[in-house]
Amino acid sequence: MSLALDAVTLTYPDGDGRLTALDEVSLTVPAGRLTAVVGPSGSGKSSLLAVAATLVAPDRGRVVVAGTDTAGLDAAARAELRRTSIGIVFQQPNLLPSLTAVEQLQVMAHLSGRPPASVRERAMELLDAVGLADRAARRPHQLSGGQRQRVNIARALMNEPALLLVDEPTSALDHERGAAVVALLATLTRDRGTATVLVTHDRAHLSVADTVTTVQDGRLTVAGRA
Amino acid sequence: MFVAWRDLRFAKGRFALMGAVIVLITLLVGLLSGLTAGLARENVSAITGLPADRVAFAAPPAGQSVSFTNSTVTEEQWTGWARRPGVTAAAPLGIRTLNAVAGERTAAVSAFGTRPGDGLAPGAVAPGEAVLSGSAAEELDARPGDTVRLGPLEARVSAVAGDASYSHTPVVWTSLDDWQELGQGGTTAGERATVVVLRGDGADWAAGDAAAGTEARTVDGALTAIGSYQAENGSLQLMRGFLFAISALVIGAFFTVWTIQRSGDVAVLKALGASTPYLLRDALGQAVLMLVAGTLLGTGLALGIGALVSGGDVPFVLSPLTVLGPAGVIIVLGAIGSALSIRRITAVDPLTALGSVR
Ligand SMILES: Nc1ncnc2c1ncn2[C@@H]1O[C@H](COP(=O)(O)OP(=O)(O)OP(=O)(O)O)[C@@H](O)[C@H]1O
Ligand SMILES: [Mg+2]
């Protein structure tokens, strides 16, 4: 199992009390499968991704990523786990303004110390996979929204993560480009064998998912097609 | 340095502006340091150039500290010092600032009276003769063989040697006997001098002081007894200190703003798996790179300007200490200032990279 959440509860401080963002959530995503998560705004979708991405520790429950139980990992160990096993596709592309498209990917290898000599080749190969080989030398401000989002996806795949977490990748795109990005994610999931969690608002994207999960007030209901 | 280096090039304008500030501050500090050293040399080189282990002043009245102007030592005191065990030489030295006249020229000089044979002067002094320091000869336009008048005294220039300067006036060496005739208004000066220049090997200076009624200082300690030196040097050092503080603050402020500006990028990098130490190293490397580049350029300019002016009338000393010292201090202080601002990288929460809030 590339991702296993077991009875995860996450609360945020809310005035005098606590707000329950995730309530006893259990979810498993195997390699090569795409799980879509839908739900109304404020239902806890991003919170689910944050827990899976080890960006926030749950109050209760177990989070296992690529076989590693994240409980008790310190900040450095969690950063390393994100580096080696988790790819995050952000809602906004979140590219670094000073880096060219290919460098956005190369930086991933630099984060873990000495990058191998083949980094650039691998980055170019991934850019090619998302159809941007001819835009490798462009900076973010020289790319369209859809192109930026594709760089964002390619970057998440750079370190060959077991788990790919995608938060509303199409919210900044028009419908056709959104559909193309989601189709690309589905292809990459199957080709590269990642376990992918795709948070989306758009019901039209659900057809590419192996499983569809609905979040409502921090609770999950699986309405799978698995 | 993967991201930091590219940020440097991408935000050229901002870093160039900040670099220019560092260049100018370094230049200013470099010039000020050279000037401080130059002025100090004009003030004290005659004293620092003495072959001395200690300089003994007349013990000042209680509550006052020693000064060259208020010190008078007697023959009894220097002969007393000469007899102390461990004291190898005790030479009286008279110091008086007065006007010298040679032909049409006059100049303020410091007359240093010393016994022939004590070896304090750079040339042989004898009664009726004077040894001029280089700048005294220049100001008076005097050559060996010429006659100079020092107050009531007429002396033949026997040599031009050395470049000793005291309290911003060039030194004229005379014999102690001649010196004692200067400025005493005809009253018998007795066998007197201003200080006793001491050399010794394992001498008990404190006991010697007690016996002779003097206060022996090291050469460095004696410099503060030159009134103008302390005031001048103190205020210049204060200015230098302020410039150092300003540079650290300006650099700290720049990197505070810069770090806040890129905290979004930092959150993204953290979410992607960058460790905090990696990000700190990256940012600090960037700061040090800019600091070193700016400081080198500023130091180069200071060197160039210093080389231009140091030949002329401006007292300016070019030495590794006056040029590289300040550069090193600015780099260290700047690195501390930027490290304090960059520290806030630690507090950036990678969670903020998720979701739409940016
Ligand atoms: N950092 C936080 N501090 C306090 N409360 C938070 C925080 N983040 C989210 N919440 C709350 O937790 C609940 C779930 O938020 P979450 O962001 O997971 O929703 P979402 O399903 O992603 O919504 P959207 O579709 O609008 O992005 C919301 O009620 C939200 O107000
Ligand atoms: Mg959300």
Side-chain angles (χ1 to χ4, degrees):
Chain A
M1 252 349 105
S2 294
L3 173 67
L5 303 185
D6 184 18
V8 166
T9 298
L10 175 71
T11 65
Y12 292 114
D14 178 33
D16 292 337
R18 311 278 302 178
L19 181 144
T20 305
L22 295 175
D23 191 4
E24 303 271 325
V25 166
S26 297
L27 175 72
T28 57
V29 186
R33 296 296 186 86
L34 194 152
T35 295
V37 177
V38 291
S41 180
S43 56
K45 304 184 296 295
S46 293
S47 301
L48 182 74
L49 284 193
V51 167
T54 74
L55 293 177
V56 58
D59 298 49
R60 285 188 301 281
R62 256 163 42 100
V63 179
V64 180
V65 175
T68 306
D69 191 337
T70 62
L73 292 186
D74 62 8
R78 276 185 279 129
E80 190 184 339
L81 186 66
R82 285 201 293 279
R83 218 156 50 218
T84 55
S85 305
I86 304 174
I88 303 177
V89 178
F90 301 97
Q91 180 166 358
Q92 300 291 312
N94 280 347
L95 302 180
L96 302 169
S98 66
L99 270 51
T100 63
V102 67
E103 287 167 349
Q104 309 278 352
L105 274 61
Q106 282 175 268
V107 73
M108 297 299 292
H110 284 265
L111 295 183
S112 19
R114 298 222 155 270
S118 59
V119 172
R120 201 181 165 85
E121 274 161 51
R122 170 156 174 75
M124 286 305 298
E125 180 218 314
L126 272 170
L127 276 186
D128 195 31
V130 299
L132 285 176
D134 57 337
R135 300 285 193 281
R138 299 266 182 105
R139 294 227 162 73
H141 68 271
Q142 300 163 319
L143 295 170
S144 75
Q147 290 168 340
R148 270 179 239 163
Q149 197 56 282
R150 281 186 272 159
V151 176
N152 188 13
I153 292 169
R155 173 176 65 184
L157 294 168
M158 187 64 189
N159 285 349
E160 303 185 322
L163 175 62
L164 190 61
L165 303 169
V166 190
D167 194 1
E168 306 200 32
T170 62
S171 61
L173 306 177
D174 62 40
H175 190 78
E176 267 142 68
R177 291 200 189 167
V181 163
V182 169
L184 173 66
L185 278 168
T187 313
L188 292 170
T189 300
R190 263 136 230 157
D191 291 355
R192 294 171 193 264
T194 61
T196 303
V197 180
L198 168 67
V199 167
T200 179
H201 261 119
D202 198 337
R203 300 227 150 235
H205 297 152
L206 299 184
S207 58
V208 301
D210 300 300
T211 313
V212 177
T213 302
T214 307
V215 192
Q216 187 80 48
D217 290 335
R219 292 171 175 278
L220 286 196
T221 46
V222 178
R225 308 184 316 150
Chain B
M1 288 291 287
F2 188 84
V3 179
W5 178 244
R6 284 163 180 80
D7 275 350
L8 259 179
R9 284 187 310 184
F10 188 67
K12 280 191 221 67
R14 257 171 290 176
F15 280 99
L17 211 61
M18 189 59 219
V21 171
I22 295 174
V23 169
L24 290 179
I25 290 181
T26 315
L27 172 61
L28 197 56
V29 173
L31 291 182
L32 198 61
S33 300
L35 197 65
T36 305
L39 285 170
R41 188 181 57 186
E42 281 199 344
N43 228 337
V44 303
S45 69
I47 305 301
T48 52
L50 289 172
D53 294 317
R54 291 289 190 282
V55 177
F57 295 82
Q64 288 187 26
S65 53
V66 295
S67 85
F68 280 97
T69 14
N70 293 337
S71 176
T72 308
V73 291
T74 61
E75 180 166 24
E76 206 178 315
Q77 284 173 314
W78 70 73
T79 50
W81 265 112
R83 283 193 301 269
R84 304 278 318 168
V87 173
T88 51
L93 176 67
I95 299 175
R96 179 158 298 129
T97 298
L98 75 174
N99 261 320
V101 183
E104 301 284 275
R105 301 277 203 115
T106 61
V109 299
S110 286
F112 272 41
T114 173
R115 291 185 307 204
D118 272 345
L120 300 187
V125 292
E129 291 185 351
V131 174
L132 268 51
S133 66
S135 40
E138 199 178 307
E139 284 184 34
L140 291 169
D141 194 20
R143 265 173 289 278
D146 290 356
T147 304
V148 292
R149 259 164 43 81
L150 300 163
L153 186 78
E154 291 237 333
R156 198 182 65 81
V157 177
S158 63
V160 174
D163 205 13
S165 178
Y166 170 84
S167 195
H168 297 297
T169 51
V171 170
V172 172
W173 301 88
T174 68
S175 72
L176 187 63
D177 290 338
D178 283 348
W179 181 86
Q180 283 165 346
E181 304 298 318
L182 298 175
Q184 291 289 340
T187 60
T188 29
E191 298 295 308
R192 287 173 188 277
T194 306
V195 291
V196 189
V197 177
L198 299 169
R199 306 212 65 167
D201 188 11
D204 184 347
W205 304 113
D209 273 342
T214 57
E215 183 173 331
R217 293 266 187 110
T218 58
V219 173
D220 278 346
L223 300 185
T224 58
I226 306 174
S228 61
Y229 174 73
Q230 217 174 355
E232 201 175 274
N233 200 50
S235 43
L236 286 169
Q237 297 293 3
L238 194 69
M239 281 163 71
R240 233 159 62 110
F242 271 116
L243 280 174
F244 284 137
I246 288 171
S247 64
L249 280 177
V250 169
I251 292 162
F254 173 81
F255 278 102
T256 302
V257 174
W258 174 247
T259 309
I260 290 172
Q261 248 176 28
R262 61 187 291 268
S263 58
D265 291 349
V266 169
V268 169
L269 284 166
K270 280 192 174 183
L272 292 175
S275 68
T276 302
Y278 172 89
L279 292 169
L280 289 174
R281 265 201 314 276
D282 206 42
L284 197 64
Q286 185 182 56
V288 169
L289 204 69
M290 187 183 73
L291 268 169
V292 169
T295 316
L296 280 184
L297 204 60
T299 304
L301 283 176
L303 270 173
I305 294 179
L308 276 183
V309 301
S310 62
D313 284 343
V314 184
F316 195 94
V317 173
L318 270 183
S319 72
L321 197 70
T322 61
V323 177
L324 298 181
V329 173
I330 286 190
I331 291 178
V332 169
L333 287 182
I336 293 173
S338 50
L340 289 178
S341 355
I342 285 166
R343 211 180 30 157
R344 71 181 59 231
I345 284 178
T346 316
V348 172
D349 186 353
L351 190 55
T352 56
L354 221 57
S356 56
V357 269
R358 252 198 90 193

